Amino acid sequence: MVYGFDLIRGTGGSVHVLDSSPAKIRTAVEGSLKRLGTDHIDLYYQHRIDPDTPIEDVAGTAAELVQEGKVRYLGLSEAGPDTIRRAHAVHTATAVQSSYSLWNREVEERVLPALRELGIGFVPYSPLGHGFLTGALRFREQFDEGDWRRTSPRFQGENFQRDLALADEVRATADEASATAAQVALAWLLAKDEHIAPIPGTKRVARVEENTAADAVELTAEQLDKLDNLAPAVGSDESEKARRLIER
């Protein structure tokens, strides 16, 4: 069971407070255990780094929760290499979760090398680029009112149109591999490292089955090289406010 803490939500689900103080972590874990009807959480994530709480205090509290049997492993989300090292020095970090895909490769420069050095697993969220890499998104009009992608810089105007070339290249590779574009995007991630475990989100059983089958897709060296060298996506995929909560 995977769960997390430190984003305190207000009315309408909006995030309005970051709080990773030891007292708040303990309050969060007790609430999670009660709601989930269990006596422990397997992997407990700090969802975003709280600048007002030293990461050493966060890791130290996690260590206490592990000793008490309430948590088994510590995870960090959107943490940079310096933060990861400091936390890991206090208590072993088992996994780090960040956005990573053919659509967003920022973690390759600093985060992934640090994780390999420390022996920490990596959990890429949004491995399909919020649906973009499936090739199904061609027009902004496809987004419903209220869909956050309508305001994302990467889904706007010229950025969106230019990035369609990236999605088309993924689709072309999928045709060569007799797979779907989503499967190719996931297979590319899986080929990067045996300690990478993507977590694509979906609402449909058919998509779960499709994504799971990506494990059987074997891309050739030439196909992997082609994907590695695709032109990067244009524009930020997060709002300025969201980016302030991210370390890469």
Side-chain angles (χ1 to χ4, degrees), residues 9-248:
R9 299 183 181 276
T11 58
S14 61
V15 177
H16 64 95
V17 176
L18 267 180
D19 191 343
S20 288
S21 63
K24 284 296 184 181
I25 294 174
R26 287 192 165 276
T27 297
V29 77
E30 293 298 338
S32 296
L33 292 173
K34 182 177 180 180
R35 289 188 296 273
L36 295 169
T38 184
D39 63 354
H40 73 277
I41 295 170
D42 293 304
L43 179 59
Y44 206 43
Y45 279 108
Q46 181 190 33
H47 278 307
R48 292 293 183 272
I49 304 305
D50 175 8
D52 296 324
T53 302
I55 196 64
E56 290 81 2
D57 291 353
V58 174
T61 304
E64 294 171 359
L65 292 170
V66 170
Q67 291 176 345
E68 295 166 16
K70 295 178 179 179
V71 170
R72 291 186 175 171
Y73 303 102
L74 168 64
L76 301 172
S77 184
E78 292 292 15
D82 294 340
T83 299
I84 294 167
R85 292 180 190 281
R86 288 167 52 202
H88 196 67
V90 175
H91 181 75
T92 301
T94 296
V96 169
Q97 175 180 269
S98 292
S99 176
Y100 183 41
S101 67
L102 283 164
W103 198 65
N104 187 347
R105 300 177 62 175
E106 289 181 278
V107 297
E108 291 181 340
E109 183 177 354
R110 302 174 65 240
V111 175
L112 290 184
L115 298 184
R116 294 189 184 104
E117 175 191 337
L118 298 171
I120 300 173
F122 184 58
V123 182
Y125 71 81
S126 300
L128 302 180
H130 305 294
F132 185 81
L133 295 172
T134 67
L137 301 178
R138 309 297 298 185
F139 309 98
R140 288 189 64 253
E141 290 73 20
Q142 292 175 259
F143 304 138
D144 295 332
E145 291 292 338
D147 189 322
W148 68 270
R149 290 174 293 186
R150 293 179 69 94
T151 58
S152 169
R154 192 164 290 183
F155 284 100
Q156 299 298 309
E158 186 177 333
N159 288 348
F160 185 63
Q161 294 304 314
R162 288 180 60 184
D163 289 344
L164 287 176
L166 189 157
D168 291 341
E169 291 289 352
V170 176
R171 171 68 69 184
T173 301
D175 291 341
E176 293 176 5
S178 299
T180 67
Q183 289 170 341
V184 164
L186 293 172
W188 176 81
L189 276 173
L190 293 170
K192 283 293 178 183
D193 194 301
E194 64 178 334
H195 301 298
I196 288 180
I199 48 172
T202 183
K203 299 177 181 179
R204 299 175 178 83
V205 172
R207 294 298 181 221
V208 173
E209 295 172 343
E210 175 188 347
N211 294 338
T212 301
D215 190 46
V217 175
E218 295 187 12
L219 300 174
T220 67
E222 291 76 15
Q223 289 168 339
L224 289 170
D225 184 65
K226 176 183 176 182
L227 293 171
D228 281 339
N229 288 288
L230 290 178
V234 181
S236 173
D237 63 329
E238 297 106 354
S239 67
E240 185 60 35
K241 181 177 180 180
R243 285 194 69 82
R244 288 198 293 268
L245 303 180
I246 292 173
E247 297 180 358
R248 290 175 189 160

